[in-house]
Each structure stands twice: as structure tokens, then as C-alpha cells.
Amino acid sequence: MNRRLFSKLHRWMTIVVIMGILYSIPLLSFLQKTGSYSFYENRMLAEAPVFSVSSVMDGSFFEGCEEYLSNRIYKRNRWMSAYTAAHLHLLKKSVVNDVVVAENLLLTPLTPQPPFLSYGDLGVRAADDLRRLKDKVESVGGKLVVLGVPEQYSILRDRYPFPLFNNDVNLTAIETTFFNSVAQAGIEAVNMKPYYERSSDRTLLYAKTDHHYRLEGAYLTYSVLCEKLVDLGLNIRITKEEDFEYVELPNPFLGSRAKKLIGRSPVEEHLSIYKLKDEIPFTRCDNGVPVDASVFALPNSDEAPVEYLVYMGGDVAETVIQTSRPELPDVLLFGNSFTNALETFLYTSFNETRSLDLRLYHEMGILEYIEEYRPDVVVCLRYDLEYLLQSGNGIIE
Amino acid sequence: MVFSSPVFLFIFLPFVFGIYFLVPSKQLPLRNLVLLCFSLFFYFYGEQRATVVILMSIAGNYFFALAISEQKQECSRKRQVVLWSSVLFNLGILFYYKYANFFFENLNLFLSEPVEAAHIALPIGVSFFTFQGMSYVFDVYRGLPPQRNILNVALYISLFPQLVAGPIVRYETIQSELTSRQESSELVFAGLSRFVVGLGKKMLLANTMGEIADSIFQLDFAVLSPCLSWLGAAAYAFQILFDFSGYSDMAIGLGLVFGFHFLDNFNYPYISTSITEFWRRWHISLSTWFRDYVYIPLGGNRKGSGRQIVNIAFVWALTGLWHGAAWNFVVWGLYFAFLLIVEKLVLGRVLEKAWRPLAHLYSLTMILIGWVIFNSPNLEYIGHYLSTMFSLNIYNPIAPGYGWFYIQQYKIEWILCFVFSTPLIKIAVQRYQKNPTFEVLHSLSVIAVLLVSILYMVNTSFNPFIYFRF
């Protein structure tokens, strides 16, 4: 082939390929049928904007078009997965999609920040709130225990690869301030961090790819909490390790951090559930509606990935478990998703177990709730990143 | 609508290409009309209500140029009056939309009763299309024939490839191409390749360097070490280079596809051995605009060195202000004015004789300091950042060695930035472009860059919901 013809042919082929890409992607995007939910992002995808003169003139129509096309581009998950794989395996990045890829572990990236100097005031404020809570619990004849659990990256902070920042100074300061303030206020509290730290391998207690603890960590939390309650004079029966057996699920575990890696996580792990040797019959109501009497939400097949949602089916505003054992006390537990795995054990020791997530429950404030249901024990579960915050489950009103 | 958005790439561009090339090439006025409609829609897409501003600019400059051309050359006074009226008109638009808020904010510092100024939104690209409008009137004043058809003026001012981020295309550059131009597969190929290279620069290099620069410039000063601060400045230098030159490449490439030849806007500015050279290589369309339409008419270097220094300072204060209505931009402009004056008076001769690596080091250091000034939110921040850069306290106990993270995490991107900021690739392309294998490799690389850029573009829409924070 002569040189000129070759150049012309090659030029046209390149133009055709580029144009082919520019034309086929939008065409395929509009032809493909996609659901409205993005599994990896846990959100609804943008819908097509509604055309109107006002939406055009205020720009919202065009913004909607941008978002819609970005969200619905052809094989979007595959593009994102390829991007993630390239960054993980080809470019060997230590932070990908806002996840730190440490040795056999996924953590969250942190921005270096200087030590914050005003924790003292926040501690006093948090303790004041908890003192009001304690007064209310005691006014109905109950006992309050504040249960502190660290987040995964906090308990595994020494596993951050150099030179990534692990915020140790601030995390330690927050923890110390909180528990000192709570102790000064005369509130019973359990800091789980030292218990977890005694473990030879903290990744047996905490997930490698998720920000929560594993069921094993939840059990340790449960047993330490129950021992504390027994010390406080409560008549409860603690479920011992010999009373149940762990069952490892064959399904791949898709932790929150692994999920951000669009299923390309280099770290694999499996979740466990447990089976009691002597079953305890119970009923369960979520948000006032009776549901299956189960504390594990298992997938339909052994291949389907499972998430932390396997425990209690995820976050629910209000869950009530009745075991019809009036000789045992009633407990109210409130906190964020760390309560889910804990609840799977907690109900075994109580007559009635109520669980609230104040981020989702808005019918009444926690003080009013206690007044209405008058539990024997109130467990306020806080995780260490929010020890000093007055939001979500830190709103005591 | 930015060039690196899916809507531009997958909706706007296919439509404009499709409809433009459906019109027979002999029907140039019709093709121009297609381009004009798409260009105005392109502007309307981002600035619905402010579209009237660009229409006003088009109409105003069209009539001013006609008015100038209708005056005979010997009626210089009348021509000058019209010319100055056009300058006032264009600068009036620019002042009202870009500088009024800044002006009143500063004026209020001196007034006991502050003036309540309406907060005016800045229309996208107002600095670019205003300067193009002025260029049209100036070039007609200098003797080029005006466009009798207002649609051609509208197309010149609003042509979408260069509308919102330049390069500032002077009227003389494309005057003849507005009414007569050749389009060919060579130009389409060259244009698409250039567009893709620009897209790659933006998506793969500028955005990544932007991540580094943003995170370092947002760090608390207690955490910022000298090493980190230099890294932040270097990342920002690469970000702004590849962002801006990438956009210019995309604009030049799209221009080529439609048969327009815009001039290059960047010529490897970071290989300069002096600041004078840097400004011959950086944002060439702006610096030559100021040189030809402001500096030289002010007298340039023809009225003695004292006047020249004043001219340089004035032009560079304006250059700074052109970039944004804030004091750091004025300081940035004056900083370069100072360096240019010093180089003109003394340092230039020294640098010419100096060991080249040393001259490069000097230039890069001064350029990085310039970018710190440019990227700082206020004057106080500039002081803090620069003092950190030159601090001798290298060890930072809060995040020791943190700078290494930015080097290790982005090592490939740093290398690519270094390579692409030099003419190495250009030299290789020129040397081997006759080789058929290289030609194929070049095309494959262009296609690969396009696909990888799309990969990055799609991933920017990855937006995990708050469950990751519980």
C-alpha cells in the first residue's frame, strides 16, 4: 500500500473510531435499561429532569441532564470497576476511592490535623447531657450504662501504612476527655477499647473491610456489658461462648470500605452468625410492625455478597424483641449501627429488648421514650468518633 | 458546560459534528449558522440569563466596528472617539459584571456609611469574550475590513471552542476563515487528536494534581511542612498548566475540526530560563493581547526606561486583575511586573550567561511563588504559606513524612507531568511522524487516552451515600 493511501486510511479509521466512541456511548446509554438504585453507592440514581420553561431558565434542567447522563452512562459500574482496578493493581495506589488499602485491611483516609485544644468544654457538655439522661433513667427506677466502642479505623489506627495520618493524638484526647467527664458526672460507663486491645489479633474482632466490629467483637462487647450490669445488681443470665456456636457464612462479605472499591477489594473476609444450642423463642416488631422472629437477615444463596446488614437487617428506627421471660429485666439500647450486631446477643439476656436509632426515630425524644416504657436498664452506645458530638444519637432531649 | 463533562462529549459534540457536517461544505454561511446556534446554546446552557450580556457585546462591537470603518482614515479624531466609546462599552461590561462587587467592597472600607451594592453574578467567560470583542474593534481600527454580516461577528465572539476559557482569538487570526475556510480529513484528524490530548491533560493530569494541590492548600498551617508546601505549589503549577493548556488544546483541536486555525496558547512554559521567557510561553494569547493593545499603545519601551517601567507595572496590574477581582491577583500581577523589570534592568543579562540549570531553578522557584500568590484566598494566607515554604523547621511532628504520601501515591502522575511539561513528546512525534508504525501507535495512543479519560470522567460521578459515615 502506498504511503499516502496508508495515511489516509489510517486517518479515517482513527476518525471513525473516535466518532464511534462519541456516538455509541450516548446511544447505548439511552437504550440500556438500568435500575434506579446504585448498589455500590447505596443511593438512588438521578432521574431524567422534567422539561419546563422555568427549569430551563433557572438552569436546573441542564444540571439535571448532566447528573442524569453521569448517573446513567452505559455500563457505568464497569467503568468504575475498571477505574478502581487500575488504581489498585496497575498504579498501586494506597488510597483508592477514599479507602486506604493497608496490609490485608481497608481503612479510611484521614486529613492531618493539629491537636484540637478545646475538648474539655465538649466533654463537660456531653457529660451534662448524659447526666440528664441518667436522672431520667433513675427517675423511672432504671440504671444507665454508657457503652463506648471505637470505630474500626480507630481501633486499628496502628495499622495505617507510613506516612498516612492516623489521628492518634485527637482520638486519644477525645476518648480520655469523654470518659473522664462521664466518670466525674458519676455515670456508669464501659470503654470497650482496652478489652479489644487485649486481643492478639484485633481483626478477629473488627472487620477488615468494614467500619464495624465483627460478630466476635459484638459478643465481647455483650459479655463485658452484661458483666457490668451484673455488677450493678441486675439479675440477668449471660450467654456464654459454650451456649452457642459461630457459623461462618460462605458468602463473600462486602464491607462498607470494600463496597467503595466496587467489588475489587484485594482483602477478602467472611462474616459469622451464631446458633444457640438452646433456642430462646421471641417475637420481633420493627417500627411497631411484627416481622420475622430472626436476628439475622440471610441472603437467598451462598454466593450472594453479604453486608453488615446481615445483623438485624440493618438500621431500624425502633426494634422491640419480646422473649416472654418476665423474671428478667427490660433493656433499652440506643445508638448507631454498632447496636445491630450487639442486639443479636443482647435479647438472650433480657425479657424485652428495645433498640432505638435516634437518627431514624423521630416520634419522641429519648427522655420521653424512657418515661413511657420505663426500662430497667438503658444502654447508651456511643462510638468514639462521636463521643463529644451532640448530633444523631447524641441528641438527649 | 465544560469540555470534560459527559453532556458535552456525548450529547453536544455528536450533535454539533453531525449537523455541521450534514450541511454541504459549499454552504459555508449555513455551516456558520449551525456553529453560531450551537455556540449560543452552549453559552445559554451555562448562563441562561447572562446570555443577553454576550448578545449585547456582539451587537455593540458590531456597530462600533462599522462606525469606525465608515469614518475616513483622515478623520482620526472621530475614529478615536468611536474607538474610545467601544473601549468604555467593553470595559463597562467587564467592570459591571466582574469588578463592581470588588470595587464596592473596597470602597466601603473607607466609607463611614457603606454603599449597598447589588451582588452581581459573574457571567462565565466574560473576560474572554469582552477581550475578543475589543480585539475585533481594535483590528478594524487598525485597518482590517469589518464584517458587514452581524452573524459573522456573533460567530467570532461566541464560537464555542474558545468562548468560556480562551484562547483569546484575535480577529486578525481568523478574519478570513469566517468567510472562507478549508475543512479536510487531515484537519478533522489533527483536531480530534489535539482535542483528545487536551482532554487527557485535563482529566488525567490536571484533575489529579488538583487533588494534591487542594488537599495541601487546605491543610492547617500547623501541619504544613516546607516539603509539603513546595509539593503543594508544584502540584498547583502542574494543575494550572495542564488544566489551562488542556482546555486550550481542546479549543484549538475543535477549531481545527471546523477549519479554524487558532494560535497556540502555551509553549512549554516551565522550561523557561527567565520570567521574561516564561511569559512568552504562558497564556500567549493574553500576554500578546496586552502587549499589542495596551503596552505598545502606551509607548512600550519607546519613551525611556522610566516610562517603560511604569508601563510594565500598569500592564501587569491589569493582567493580574484580569484573572480575578481580588487583591491576590493584583499582587500576583505586580510580582511578575517586578521580576520582569528586574530582569530587564539587571538580571536578564546575568541569566543569559548563567549556567542553564541555575537559570531554570531561578525561573521555576519564582513561578512557584507566583502560583502560591495566585492560588491563595487572601493576602494573609500568602504570607503564611510562603513563610512555611522557606522555613528551616523541616520536621513536622503532627504528620511526619506526610509529603511522601503525595509522592508515592501519585508517582506515575508526577512523572507524566514532568514529561508532558517538556517538549520531549513533541520532539519524538516530529522525529518519527513519517514512520507508519509510529503513526499507528500515535492513533492508538489517542484512542487509549480518550477511553482512559472517559474512565476518569465516569468515576467522578461515583458518589457514595452517607451510609459510609453510618
Side-chain angles (χ1 to χ4, degrees), chain A residues 207-375:
Chain A
K208 294 172 188 164
T209 63
D210 191 277
H211 55 276
H212 297 102
Y213 41 38
R214 296 174 55 79
L215 191 68
E216 293 80 352
Y219 175 73
L220 177 63
T221 311
Y222 158 81
S223 54
V224 172
L225 172 68
C226 286
E227 279 163 20
K228 176 77 176 180
L229 294 175
V230 169
D231 287 348
L232 291 174
L234 268 98
N235 177 27
I236 56 171
R237 181 188 165 277
I238 303 175
T239 301
K240 301 285 182 195
E241 273 190 277
E242 51 270 27
D243 298 332
F244 66 91
E245 59 181 355
Y246 286 111
V247 180
E248 189 179 88
L249 295 173
N251 313 63
F253 173 42
L254 196 58
S256 58
R257 304 203 202 291
K259 209 171 177 182
K260 279 182 162 185
L261 297 179
I262 325 280
R264 293 285 191 160
S265 170
V267 183
E268 283 184 21
E269 66 179 330
H270 292 268
L271 279 189
S272 299
I273 58 170
Y274 76 89
K275 277 195 175 148
L276 281 172
K277 288 177 181 161
D278 296 314
E279 296 241 342
I280 299 169
F282 66 91
T283 61
R284 175 178 170 179
C285 281
D286 283 354
N287 302 320
V289 179
V291 294
D292 282 349
S294 170
V295 289
F296 301 114
L298 298 174
N300 295 326
S301 74
D302 287 350
E303 290 76 37
V306 289
E307 299 175 62
Y308 181 75
L309 301 174
V310 87
Y311 303 120
M312 299 302 291
D315 297 340
V316 180
E318 182 196 43
T319 296
V320 181
I321 294 178
Q322 299 272 6
T323 60
S324 304
R325 296 177 293 174
E327 70 279 11
L328 294 175
D330 296 341
V331 64
L332 165 64
L333 168 70
F334 72 98
N336 62 26
S337 50
F338 276 92
T339 61
N340 300 351
L342 180 61
E343 286 165 48
T344 65
F345 289 107
L346 202 61
Y347 83 97
T348 62
S349 299
F350 291 90
N351 173 40
E352 178 187 84
T353 304
R354 283 179 178 272
S355 170
L356 288 185
D357 187 335
L358 298 183
R359 295 168 308 168
L360 308 172
Y361 185 82
H362 304 297
E363 276 183 39
M364 60 183 101
I366 186 68
L367 300 180
E368 199 182 339
Y369 195 92
I370 290 165
E371 180 70 41
E372 184 156 341
Y373 292 102
R374 310 177 82 81

Side-chain angles (χ1 to χ4, degrees), chain B residues 16 36 45 149 210 217 232 252 280 304 324 333 372 403 407 410 419-420 441:
Chain B
V16 73
L36 175 62
Y45 185 95
N149 183 349
F217 274 80
I252 292 167
R280 278 192 222 114
V372 169
I407 296 172
Y410 299 100
V419 170
F420 280 95
L441 269 179

Side-chain angles (χ1 to χ4, degrees), chain B residues 201-218 232 234-240 242-243 375 406 410 413-414 417:
Chain B
K201 280 185 181 178
K202 164 72 181 153
M203 296 306 300
L204 313 182
L205 301 181
N207 287 1
T208 313
M209 287 294 127
E211 280 174 30
I212 303 173
D214 285 353
S215 52
I216 293 180
F217 274 80
Q218 281 165 15
Y236 186 70
F238 281 134
Q239 180 196 0
I240 196 163
F242 291 116
D243 197 293
N375 194 35
Y406 290 110
Y410 299 100
E413 287 90 342
W414 282 111
C417 283

Side-chain angles (χ1 to χ4, degrees), chain A residues 131-264:
Chain A
R131 194 182 292 114
R132 283 195 294 121
L133 180 66
K134 182 186 176 220
D135 292 345
K136 172 54 74 181
V137 174
E138 287 177 351
S139 74
V140 297
K143 292 184 189 304
L144 170 71
V145 173
V146 172
L147 178 64
V149 292
E151 208 253 31
Q152 179 248 22
Y153 85 69
S154 172
I155 195 73
L156 297 167
R157 70 187 81 155
D158 57 333
R159 301 277 299 270
Y160 272 81
F162 176 82
L164 287 173
F165 182 71
N166 67 9
N167 206 19
D168 178 51
V169 174
N170 277 309
L171 289 170
T172 306
I174 290 169
E175 180 195 348
T176 310
T177 306
F178 180 70
F179 284 103
N180 283 347
S181 305
V182 167
Q184 280 169 14
I187 297 163
E188 296 295 340
V190 177
N191 179 7
M192 284 304 299
K193 185 165 164 267
Y195 295 95
Y196 302 136
E197 283 176 338
R198 276 176 220 151
S199 167
S200 57
D201 181 0
R202 277 161 284 150
T203 56
L204 296 175
L205 302 175
Y206 269 74
K208 294 172 188 164
T209 63
D210 191 277
H211 55 276
H212 297 102
Y213 41 38
R214 296 174 55 79
L215 191 68
E216 293 80 352
Y219 175 73
L220 177 63
T221 311
Y222 158 81
S223 54
V224 172
L225 172 68
C226 286
E227 279 163 20
K228 176 77 176 180
L229 294 175
V230 169
D231 287 348
L232 291 174
L234 268 98
N235 177 27
I236 56 171
R237 181 188 165 277
I238 303 175
T239 301
K240 301 285 182 195
E241 273 190 277
E242 51 270 27
D243 298 332
F244 66 91
E245 59 181 355
Y246 286 111
V247 180
E248 189 179 88
L249 295 173
N251 313 63
F253 173 42
L254 196 58
S256 58
R257 304 203 202 291
K259 209 171 177 182
K260 279 182 162 185
L261 297 179
I262 325 280
R264 293 285 191 160

Side-chain angles (χ1 to χ4, degrees), chain A residues 10 23 93 95 211 256 359, chain B residues 14 409 413 434 443 468 470:
Chain A
H10 145 264
Y23 280 92
K93 300 214 172 195
V95 178
H211 55 276
S256 58
R359 295 168 308 168
Chain B
Q409 167 85 356
E413 287 90 342
K434 301 283 181 207
S443 291
F468 290 121
F470 310 132

